[in-house]
Amino acid sequence: MAEIIVNGGNRLSGEIAVQGAKNSVLPVLAGAVLCDGECIIHNCPNLSDVGTSIKILRGFGARVKYQNNTVTVDCRSINNYKIDDNLMREMRSSVVFLGGILGRMRRAVISSPGGCELGPRPIDLHLSALKKLGVLIEEEHGFLNCNAENGIIGSEIHLTFPSVGATENIILTAATAKGVTVIHNAAREPEISDLADFLNSAGARIYGSGSDTVYIHGVERLHGTTHTIIPDRIVAATYMSAAAVTGGKFVLTHIMPSHMVALLHAFRESGCDISVKGKSLTITAPKQILRIPTVRSLVYPAFPTDAGPLVISMLTLAEGTSVFVENIFENRFRYINELNRLGASIKTEGKVAVIEGVKSLSGARCVCPDLRGGAALVVASLAANGESQITNISHINRGYDNITGVLQNVGADIKIKE
Ligand code: UD1
């Protein structure tokens, strides 16, 4: 099994072009399913989750090509509405293809996505919204049989929680429905607006994305289009954290600072010097990382849950004690034990982590429990004295395009051992 080997302690500096956002590519590829024509999607990072999405598309019968970070998808040949059970298990976010294939074929069969590494993650909000749009859903033997052969009808939907995935699935299902759908209490994440921009460029009529009320005027059909995926704000936060813990300095290019307001605030609070210019920023580590009294993850535009592990990783080396409150996922702290193996001093209780800053970290063997937890281990190991071996790295490959190569280019002693 491949592992990442890091010899920590190097001061990192240089320029990094931030990859496209994983959480945008997946719904946009699901959106391509609705299009009667070729979709050319630029800035798609090379990730195993993108590979899984391509397999799902091919499973539907689509023609897909992936070359130089551009995915070309032609869904005119689609003839199947089932998502393979193994692909569903490989990537929980496969559930976003439900909206795409339902909109296209008026039928879908997927296996029920079970729990995942972050906790139970139900899809009740997705399903009750789809039912409101006229989709009949039966659950048998762990499979969801969805049928909208009598048509998808626009409706008013009130989400009890602004779920990102549910908002995306509703947009996808409603884009070619009859009539108008209104989502109240919609998620406002930038990736939702990216999906809406993509669909609108293919002929959809979606208004209000990025706000908590989204209006979808159903259109008969969508056509092919060209779209560029937005930058990945969580990957940007990962490299910012790496600069901070190594006493380094990075210029990050290809970013969208307006998507990162809460993140920039947290890094500045920890003493990092950040200057933003257009679509790039320069981050310089402080001499001593400062504690942050409290960081709370919440829905956008507040601090993103996915960046929690990365900021906690940085705060392990702060002067003083910081507190992180995780408000989105129940089981997000499994990487904390692994950070403690590297010499961090973190205690958790329920949704709260108390991070007592230490003077230094030291290399150790640790296991990635999930995607962002794994990235947090990479960040901490860059600062740890001596060698770290990080195992179970397939999680990291789900969301980072060549993380070891990127970090080598800015001076890290890091490699993959096959
Ligand atoms: C998306 C992101 C993920 C990010 C999360 C929150 C993708 C591919 N993934 O995940 O990286 O961490 O948003 O920003 O875009 N919930 C329910 N019932 C539902 C749906 C959600 O109870 O039907 C709960 C979840 O268990 C969780 C919370 O709502 O506690 C947030 O989930 P949601 O916003 O749906 O996240 P995802 O779309 O799964």
Side-chain angles (χ1 to χ4, degrees), residues 267-268 271-275 282-286:
F267 281 98
R268 285 192 172 118
C272 294
D273 182 63
I274 299 171
S275 61
T282 304
I283 176 165
T284 310

Side-chain angles (χ1 to χ4, degrees), residues 22-23 92-93 121-126 161-165 189 305-306 328-329 332:
K22 169 179 89 73
N23 289 352
R92 190 198 171 276
S93 14
R121 290 181 100 167
I123 57 162
D124 51 318
L125 299 173
H126 303 233
F161 176 85
S163 153
V164 173
E189 270 69 2
T305 171
D306 288 353
I328 306 292
F329 289 110
R332 192 132 214 185

Side-chain angles (χ1 to χ4, degrees), residues 31-53:
V33 172
L34 295 168
C35 299
D36 267 328
E38 190 174 76
C39 293
I40 301 170
I41 302 155
H42 298 300
N43 203 29
C44 295
N46 189 3
L47 309 173
S48 57
D49 272 8
V50 172
T52 305
S53 303

Side-chain angles (χ1 to χ4, degrees), residues 22-24 26-27 49 92-96 118-128 161-168 187 189 191 233-234 298-300 304-306 327-330 332 371-372 398:
K22 169 179 89 73
N23 289 352
S24 266
L26 309 186
D49 272 8
R92 190 198 171 276
S93 14
S94 307
V95 72
V96 78
L118 302 184
R121 290 181 100 167
I123 57 162
D124 51 318
L125 299 173
H126 303 233
L127 300 184
S128 57
F161 176 85
S163 153
V164 173
T167 303
E168 291 166 347
E189 270 69 2
E191 293 76 18
R233 57 204 166 100
I234 308 302
L298 268 176
V299 296
Y300 189 83
T305 171
D306 288 353
N327 289 307
I328 306 292
F329 289 110
E330 272 173 36
R332 192 132 214 185
L371 165 57
R372 305 300 169 188
R398 287 189 39 230

Side-chain angles (χ1 to χ4, degrees), residues 64-383:
V64 193
K65 205 171 74 189
Y66 180 47
Q67 209 169 28
N68 300 329
N69 294 113
T70 295
V71 178
T72 307
V73 200
D74 189 334
C75 289
R76 281 172 290 197
S77 48
I78 278 188
N79 54 12
N80 176 32
Y81 50 77
K82 292 184 184 149
I83 303 181
D84 183 87
D85 187 32
N86 291 324
L87 298 176
M88 217 44 226
R89 285 172 200 268
E90 230 166 82
M91 186 176 79
R92 190 198 171 276
S93 14
S94 307
V95 72
V96 78
F97 282 89
L98 176 58
I101 197 67
L102 259 177
R104 171 86 193 192
M105 301 286 277
R106 302 299 194 240
R107 287 290 309 270
V109 177
I110 65 167
S111 55
S112 285
C116 76
E117 64 268 13
L118 302 184
R121 290 181 100 167
I123 57 162
D124 51 318
L125 299 173
H126 303 233
L127 300 184
S128 57
L130 296 185
K131 285 179 189 161
K132 276 213 90 176
L133 295 173
V135 182
L136 300 173
I137 303 176
E138 282 171 5
E139 195 167 357
E140 35 179 26
H141 310 300
F143 281 86
L144 293 173
N145 234 316
C146 307
N147 191 330
E149 278 166 350
N150 293 332
I152 299 173
I153 315 290
S155 179
E156 296 250 343
I157 294 167
H158 296 258
L159 288 176
T160 49
F161 176 85
S163 153
V164 173
T167 303
E168 291 166 347
N169 254 331
I170 299 166
I171 290 176
L172 288 162
T173 310
T176 54
K178 274 205 186 75
V180 180
T181 299
V182 187
I183 313 175
H184 299 279
N185 199 25
R188 298 165 57 190
E189 270 69 2
E191 293 76 18
I192 307 264
S193 301
D194 202 26
L195 171 64
D197 290 346
F198 163 74
L199 292 172
N200 285 342
S201 76
R205 290 175 58 211
I206 300 161
Y207 308 97
S209 65
S211 80
D212 61 5
T213 312
V214 179
Y215 301 83
I216 306 126
H217 294 246
V219 296
E220 213 149 275
R221 51 199 295 146
L222 299 184
H223 49 75
T225 186
T226 299
H227 181 77
T228 301
I229 296 294
I230 58 169
D232 196 312
R233 57 204 166 100
I234 308 302
V235 169
T238 306
Y239 294 131
M240 289 169 77
S241 187
V245 296
T246 61
K249 178 175 178 173
F250 288 162
V251 176
L252 300 186
T253 65
H254 298 73
I255 57 153
M256 198 66 94
S258 60
H259 295 168
M260 298 174 62
V261 173
L263 283 167
L264 296 185
H265 179 76
F267 281 98
R268 285 192 172 118
E269 221 182 332
S270 72
C272 294
D273 182 63
I274 299 171
S275 61
V276 176
K277 200 171 155 198
K279 291 188 176 173
S280 66
L281 69 77
T282 304
I283 176 165
T284 310
K287 284 211 167 61
Q288 168 65 57
I289 295 168
L290 306 176
R291 78 186 191 102
I292 308 183
T294 316
V295 190
R296 292 183 177 82
S297 67
L298 268 176
V299 296
Y300 189 83
F303 188 91
T305 171
D306 288 353
L310 307 158
V311 162
I312 288 181
S313 197
M314 170 177 75
L315 294 173
T316 60
L317 287 166
E319 190 170 45
T321 302
S322 311
V323 172
F324 189 94
V325 187
E326 170 54 46
N327 289 307
I328 306 292
F329 289 110
E330 272 173 36
N331 193 8
R332 192 132 214 185
F333 285 148
R334 294 192 313 155
Y335 62 95
I336 298 274
N337 275 342
E338 306 297 312
L339 278 180
N340 286 343
R341 279 170 172 247
L342 292 164
S345 174
I346 310 173
K347 290 195 177 70
T348 58
E349 199 178 311
K351 58 182 192 171
V352 178
V354 178
I355 309 119
E356 204 183 305
V358 294
K359 289 228 152 45
S360 63
L361 299 172
S362 50
R365 193 170 175 79
C366 41
V367 185
C368 294
D370 56 61
L371 165 57
R372 305 300 169 188
L377 297 176
V378 171
V379 167
S381 67
L382 292 168

